[in-house]
Amino acid sequence: MLPLKIFIEFILITVVSSSFKPNELTGGDHCFCKLKGQIGDCSCNVDTVDYFNNIKIYPRLQSLINKDYFRFYKVNLKKECPFWSDDSRCAMKFCHVKPCKDEEIPPGLKGRILKHPYSNEEMYVKYLEESQHQDCDSDVIDELGYLNTTISAKAYEEFALWQAYDDAQDNFCTLPDDDGDAQYVDLSLNPERYTGYRGPSAHRIWRSIYMENCFRPKNTFDAYISTSKLNGLCLEKRVFYRVVSGLHASINIHLCSHYLFPETLSFDGKGEGGRWGRNLAEFKNRFGPETTKGEGPSWLRNLYFLYLLELRAIHKAAPYLSSIDYYTGREVEDKETLDAIIDILTIIRSFPEHFNESTMFNGGSQAQKLKEEFKQHFRNISRIMDCVGCEKCKLWGKLQVQGLGTALKILFSGKFDEKNGYPNTIEKMPYNGNGKEFKLERSEIVALFNALGRISTSIFEIENFRQMMR
């Protein structure tokens, strides 16, 4: 006679399995059956991306983002929601984020070292003893054309603020968290997975994003824009919706692939009070045509579209990204990180079918106005991330939105365009002294690669769900 626990487990698995009809798994209108062919708004197709990502990009990215430079992310999880008062908080222990202790942070990430933005030499501001005690008359000397070039530390800080303001004009999201409440988090110890955060608070986040910050066709009242109406939007507005939808689809896949099951179910992975694993029923519920009014396949297609857009951004910024030190103070690992970056940039460069951003925002003043609206809408979305009631969801939401915002910044700021003299080759970026070169903050680089890592993981997980269905 079977033990009671095994018998219950058998019954539960049978119930889960019986909720799928055979034609839903292997044919008919299931979400995967339509996930083939052209992705839309670019020249690539689904099968090509699957192979390129799962074989070449995914394993390299997983290795890269586990390096010290990329797994420590500075974030403020205490910011108040700027749009509404909401004290909804996830009570489950899986919602909480554990910040790093000081001794856990790599030495190179501690403190504040001023560096020239385009040089590896540290800028130590030195003062001559006499220059700090001179009176006004001491500036007059006999040599014709003398210029006092002494610059105070306060002036350097003001220059940095001016530069930060100029750079912020190109931002598609709010500035990286660097205030007193920001703390380093080890992303590897706080993985993105199902936490139990759902209900009105979570729905309000996505509803605000879709209803108030996406460009919408007339007479569209649902939060999600149907594919038939989406095709009526101009390219720029359609791209905006598709990247938001792709990000939403990716997050949903992460929750389905790292789902907390009751303790009685034997799926892969373990968690306290239950087991972590892939939830096929939840995946089907979120993407199946019968539960999404037929839109599930389009949402998955938008995920592939977002992947190509972020891939293109990294390809476009490759010369700059290959010139950074990736400094953490751990010399051997820093060199390994740079080698890994150059390797993955070379692989990305070998993929010819990226998203083509040059077709967007062309058309004079009206196009520039649309571009500014595009930017403002996305900045609002980055602010909405501070309204998320689950710490872990907020962490990964802020990181992925910042990563996508960084990708948009690279694509549409104009500072990486070849017409401006920026080379489309993987080599050191030349510094010509005019002060106009593009610079990314460390947190933007960390977010950029981690965001692509999340999208890459989603596409990899789609194949795992395919195998489960078979």
Side-chain angles (χ1 to χ4, degrees):
M1 188 171 181
L2 286 173
L4 179 61
K5 183 177 179 181
I6 297 177
F7 176 74
I8 294 174
E9 180 176 336
F10 172 77
I11 292 297
L12 288 172
I13 293 175
T14 303
V15 170
V16 171
S17 300
S18 64
S19 66
F20 296 95
K21 299 176 182 178
N23 67 320
E24 291 176 340
L25 292 175
T26 58
D29 292 328
H30 198 270
C31 44
F32 287 137
C33 296
K34 295 181 180 178
L35 191 60
K36 60 179 69 172
Q38 290 293 110
I39 293 171
D41 293 318
C42 51
S43 61
C44 200
N45 62 57
V46 169
D47 292 340
T48 304
V49 172
D50 279 338
Y51 175 80
F52 180 74
N53 176 72
N54 296 350
I55 302 301
K56 296 185 176 183
I57 293 295
Y58 174 77
R60 286 178 167 87
L61 265 179
Q62 292 307 300
S63 175
L64 178 68
I65 60 181
N66 278 303
K67 300 289 187 185
D68 284 353
Y69 186 90
F70 290 100
R71 67 186 179 94
F72 290 96
Y73 180 64
K74 196 170 188 180
V75 61
N76 180 1
L77 298 176
K78 297 179 182 179
K79 279 188 177 179
E80 296 294 328
C81 174
F83 299 111
W84 60 78
S85 297
D86 189 356
D87 58 358
S88 299
R89 293 292 181 267
C90 176
M92 291 182 66
K93 58 186 173 183
F94 302 110
C95 291
H96 301 306
V97 171
K98 183 180 179 181
C100 295
K101 297 178 181 178
D102 186 69
E103 61 269 19
E104 296 171 335
I105 303 170
L109 302 185
K110 297 178 184 179
R112 192 178 176 193
I113 300 176
L114 286 177
K115 287 192 175 185
H116 194 291
Y118 308 103
S119 171
N120 294 330
E121 296 181 6
E122 296 177 359
M123 286 172 37
Y124 296 105
V125 183
K126 299 181 179 179
Y127 306 96
L128 294 175
E129 189 67 28
E130 59 270 22
S131 70
Q132 298 194 32
H133 297 91
Q134 288 174 337
D135 55 29
C136 295
D137 294 336
S138 63
D139 282 345
V140 181
I141 61 175
D142 295 334
E143 293 182 21
L144 185 64
Y146 169 78
L147 179 65
N148 189 337
T149 58
T150 303
I151 300 177
S152 69
K154 183 178 179 181
Y156 268 111
E157 290 183 0
E158 290 177 350
F159 295 159
L161 290 175
W162 298 344
Q163 183 65 49
Y165 175 81
D166 292 340
D167 291 342
Q169 304 313 299
D170 295 313
N171 285 349
F172 281 76
C173 56
T174 54
L175 292 173
D177 292 339
D178 198 20
D179 50 35
D181 290 326
Q183 294 178 292
Y184 276 107
V185 172
D186 186 340
L187 298 174
S188 67
L189 299 180
N190 297 277
E192 183 183 21
R193 57 188 182 183
Y194 179 77
T195 63
Y197 176 63
R198 59 196 313 167
S201 178
H203 292 154
R204 186 177 189 176
I205 298 295
W206 286 111
R207 188 170 183 82
S208 298
I209 290 173
Y210 282 113
M211 296 293 288
E212 300 172 20
N213 291 285
C214 282
F215 299 95
R216 305 182 63 78
K218 293 181 180 179
N219 302 319
T220 301
F221 306 105
D222 292 333
Y224 310 121
I225 302 174
S226 66
T227 304
S228 58
K229 291 186 177 182
L230 186 65
N231 292 332
L233 293 176
C234 69
L235 174 63
E236 290 82 358
K237 295 179 179 181
R238 189 165 66 244
V239 165
F240 190 97
Y241 177 82
R242 293 194 71 184
V243 298
V244 170
S245 175
L247 177 61
H248 193 185
S250 179
I251 291 173
N252 278 333
I253 292 174
H254 303 155
L255 306 186
C256 295
S257 60
H258 289 85
Y259 194 90
L260 183 61
F261 287 95
E263 194 172 7
T264 51
L265 290 180
S266 298
F267 285 76
D268 58 319
K270 294 182 179 180
E272 293 182 58
R275 297 179 182 272
W276 299 97
R278 298 184 183 94
N279 189 332
L280 186 58
E282 185 69 19
F283 180 87
K284 177 181 178 294
N285 181 58
R286 292 177 185 256
F287 295 104
E290 64 281 358
T291 56
T292 61
K293 299 181 180 179
E295 291 298 319
S298 295
W299 297 344
L300 291 175
R301 201 176 297 276
N302 291 340
L303 164 68
Y304 282 76
F305 175 78
L306 174 59
Y307 177 82
L308 292 176
L309 183 142
E310 293 198 4
L311 207 67
R312 167 57 184 160
I314 290 179
H315 173 266
K316 191 171 185 177
Y320 174 79
L321 294 171
S322 65
S323 70
I324 301 170
D325 286 340
Y326 300 95
Y327 179 74
T328 66
R330 296 169 179 168
E331 186 175 350
V332 174
E333 171 140 336
D334 292 350
K335 184 180 184 305
E336 291 176 353
T337 301
L338 179 57
D339 291 342
I341 283 286
I342 293 175
D343 175 55
I344 200 167
L345 291 177
T346 302
I347 296 297
I348 290 175
R349 189 185 178 197
S350 71
F351 188 69
E353 299 178 283
H354 300 122
F355 171 76
N356 181 9
E357 76 284 358
S358 65
T359 59
M360 293 178 60
F361 303 117
N362 297 320
S365 60
Q366 191 64 28
Q368 290 307 307
K369 180 181 177 181
L370 178 59
K371 183 177 180 179
E372 191 59 31
E373 289 181 31
F374 193 103
K375 189 184 301 181
Q376 292 302 328
H377 282 215
F378 201 82
R379 283 178 179 171
N380 277 345
I381 292 175
S382 70
R383 294 186 184 102
I384 289 174
M385 290 300 104
D386 286 316
C387 301
V388 177
C390 160
E391 277 192 352
K392 192 167 289 183
C393 306
K394 180 186 287 188
L395 165 66
W396 287 100
K398 287 170 73 76
L399 183 144
Q400 290 176 83
V401 167
Q402 187 184 9
L404 176 53
T406 303
L408 296 174
K409 181 178 179 178
I410 292 169
L411 292 175
F412 301 119
S413 70
K415 294 182 179 179
F416 272 114
D417 294 351
E418 288 184 77
K419 64 183 179 183
N420 291 337
Y422 194 79
N424 193 20
T425 56
I426 301 174
E427 56 190 32
K428 297 287 184 181
M429 184 178 72
Y431 173 63
N432 59 21
N434 62 16
K436 295 181 180 181
E437 286 80 358
F438 195 66
K439 179 178 179 293
L440 295 175
E441 300 292 334
R442 177 187 171 273
S443 63
E444 291 177 300
I445 298 168
V446 171
L448 179 67
F449 280 95
N450 272 285
L452 181 63
R454 295 281 73 207
I455 304 299
S456 173
T457 298
S458 295
I459 292 175
F460 184 82
E461 286 295 337
I462 286 177
E463 180 58 32
N464 288 326
F465 281 114
R466 281 196 186 101
Q467 296 298 331
M468 290 178 69
M469 290 180 181
R470 290 168 186 162

